[in-house]
């Protein structure tokens, strides 16, 4: 049996997939390093779910190759998929069976043997310990998602693939599951997670992959994607409102962009590596600051800049 090479537990090399005339994926290449929590992002219709289905062997690409735990296809891919935890789209559950019963069935299907002790621990972990013997038929969407996550973690997989794992959860539940996902690499499980909650992705992931119209538009460490340097910041400057015009002229003269924010506030962007530079520029013009705050870019602003997210598209 092959193993993941160079610490990559999942990888795409030039993968394309079409449905009729629709190009769902267009030559994407990226990988998921071992020990990471990698976020897969994109507007509706960007190809996220198609990519996950290809990785799990549920859909075949038209071009290119993908690997899962080092296996690239055929029976080895099916074995790799069995050894990978997955929660893709709505969890497939037996309505008349309890949460515990659903997990027992899944454990047997994956050849995990007697997992009774592990099952109770996982149900406790996702907040369903007290509902372990209740029928799934009465579960809310959020509870079903929790059960799907617990099932995906059966057998302590090296890789778990999660598609919108916080779907249906209340705000407290979202935070709880986010914190759980962040800890999984410490337990030996790498995570590839697709989500539309950009703030949560930024909080839980150390890597990110962004797709748009089936194309890869960004990939890398979260710090790289966000431009983690002071030169990437926009600065909020507060001065005496009567000095707004003079301050704007002084900053524009040296090539900075200035947007008035009202009440003596200026939003300044451009090649400024440190706030002290702004302070020197303005004091040199006889203008004194009462506030200087950096506003670093967040994942949402980067995402919107990289994608045509205003389109109304169906997921593929």
């Amino acid at each position: 049996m092959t193993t993941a090479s160079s610490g990559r537990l999942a990888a795409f090399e030039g993968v394309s997939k079409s449905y009729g005339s629709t190009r769902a994926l267009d030559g994407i290449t990226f990988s998921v390093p071992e020990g990471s929590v990698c976020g897969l992002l994109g507007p509706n219709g960007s190809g996220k779910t198609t990519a996950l289905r290809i990785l799990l062997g549920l859909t075949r690409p038209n071009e290119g190759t993908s690997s899962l735990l080092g296996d690239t296809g055929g029976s080895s891919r099916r074995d790799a998929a069995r050894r990978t935890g997955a929660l893709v789209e709505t969890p497939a559950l037996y309505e008349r069976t309890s949460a515990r019963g659903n997990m027992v069935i899944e454990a047997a299907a994956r050849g995990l043997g007697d997992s009774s002790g592990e099952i109770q621990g996982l149900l406790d972990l996702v907040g369903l310990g007290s509902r372990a013997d209740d029928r799934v038929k009465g579960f809310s969407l959020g509870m079903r998602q929790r059960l799907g996550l617990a099932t995906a973690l059966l057998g302590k997989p090296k890789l778990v693939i999660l598609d919108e794992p916080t779907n249906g959860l209340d705000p407290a539940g979202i935070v709880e599951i986010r914190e759980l996902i962040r800890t999984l690499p410490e337990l030996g499980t790498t995570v590839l997670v697709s989500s539309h909650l950009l703030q949560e992705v930024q909080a839980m992931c150390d890597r990110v992959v962004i797709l748009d119209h089936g194309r890869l538009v960004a990939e890398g460490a979260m710090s790289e994607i966000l431009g983690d340097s002071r030169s990437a910041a926009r600065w909020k400057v507060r001065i005496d409102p009567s000095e707004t015009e003079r301050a704007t002229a002084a900053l524009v003269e040296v090539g900075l962009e200035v947007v008035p924010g009202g009440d003596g506030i200026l939003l300044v962007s451009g090649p400024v590596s440190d706030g002290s530079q702004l302070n020197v520029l303005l004091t040199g013009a006889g203008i004194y600051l009462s506030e200087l705050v950096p506003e670093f870019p967040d994942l949402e602003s980067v995402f919107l800049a990289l994608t045509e997210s205003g389109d109304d598209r169906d997921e593929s």
Side-chain angles (χ1 to χ4, degrees):
M1 178 155 322
T2 55
T3 58
S5 61
S6 303
R8 302 187 309 168
L9 296 189
F12 294 82
E13 298 287 345
V15 170
S16 295
K17 176 65 179 179
S18 296
Y19 296 98
S21 60
T22 301
R23 190 85 157 170
L25 293 175
D26 191 0
I28 66 170
T29 297
F30 72 88
S31 61
V32 180
E34 187 171 4
S36 65
V37 178
C38 181
L40 180 61
L41 306 178
N44 287 340
S46 62
K48 303 187 301 295
T49 298
T50 296
L52 296 183
R53 290 179 63 83
I54 287 174
L55 198 56
L56 291 167
L58 302 175
T59 301
R60 292 185 178 181
N62 299 117
E63 302 170 17
T65 61
S66 66
S67 64
L68 180 65
L69 305 183
D71 297 297
T72 57
S75 59
S76 61
R77 171 56 59 84
R78 289 191 291 272
D79 178 69
R82 282 195 296 269
R83 293 185 288 117
T84 300
L87 173 58
V88 179
E89 299 175 326
T90 304
L93 302 171
Y94 295 94
E95 296 284 317
R96 297 182 179 276
T97 303
S98 67
R100 189 193 310 278
N102 269 272
M103 293 187 69
V104 168
I105 292 170
E106 179 65 19
R110 288 162 55 182
L112 298 177
D114 184 5
S115 302
S116 55
E118 182 189 10
I119 286 171
Q120 184 60 50
L122 288 172
L123 288 170
D124 291 338
L125 188 66
V126 300
L128 288 178
S130 64
R131 305 295 298 272
D133 297 312
D134 292 353
R135 289 188 179 185
V136 169
K137 184 177 182 179
F139 279 15
S140 66
L141 175 58
M143 293 171 67
R144 289 166 184 262
Q145 288 295 110
R146 288 174 183 269
L147 179 55
L149 177 57
T151 302
L153 294 174
L154 272 169
K156 299 180 181 178
K158 290 188 68 175
L159 174 68
V160 64
I161 297 173
L162 306 174
D163 188 12
E164 301 289 354
T166 57
N167 187 31
L169 298 180
D170 60 22
I174 290 173
V175 172
E176 182 182 344
I177 296 303
R178 176 234 291 169
E179 294 304 313
L180 167 59
I181 290 172
R182 285 180 61 181
T183 65
L184 290 179
E186 299 173 13
L187 304 176
T189 297
T190 298
V191 182
L192 175 59
V193 55
S194 170
S195 177
H196 69 282
L197 300 177
L198 301 183
Q199 184 177 3
E200 289 304 311
V201 170
Q202 184 173 343
M204 82 172 82
C205 297
D206 49 60
R207 294 188 63 82
V208 66
V209 174
I210 301 178
L211 303 179
D212 188 35
H213 286 88
R215 296 185 177 92
L216 180 72
V217 295
E219 177 201 8
M222 183 68 73
S223 59
E224 296 171 352
I225 296 298
L226 296 180
D228 192 12
S229 67
R230 300 193 79 80
S231 61
R234 183 176 71 169
W235 298 83
K236 176 184 174 183
V237 175
R238 186 186 296 273
I239 56 176
D240 188 302
S242 66
E243 300 282 14
T244 298
E245 289 189 13
R246 266 200 329 127
T248 298
L251 295 172
V252 169
E253 186 178 355
V254 295
L256 299 176
E257 298 179 14
V258 181
V259 177
D263 195 28
I265 293 175
L266 300 177
L267 302 176
V268 183
S269 57
V272 178
S273 59
D274 191 274
S276 63
Q277 290 180 266
L278 287 176
N279 190 35
V280 169
L281 284 168
L282 291 173
T283 55
I287 302 166
Y288 299 96
L289 303 173
S290 60
E291 183 179 11
L292 178 61
V293 180
E295 296 183 345
F296 293 103
D298 59 12
L299 186 58
E300 181 177 5
S301 62
V302 172
F303 178 84
L304 293 175
L306 290 171
T307 65
E308 300 176 34
S309 54
D311 291 354
D312 185 13
R313 292 170 284 178
D314 294 329
E315 178 63 276
S316 61

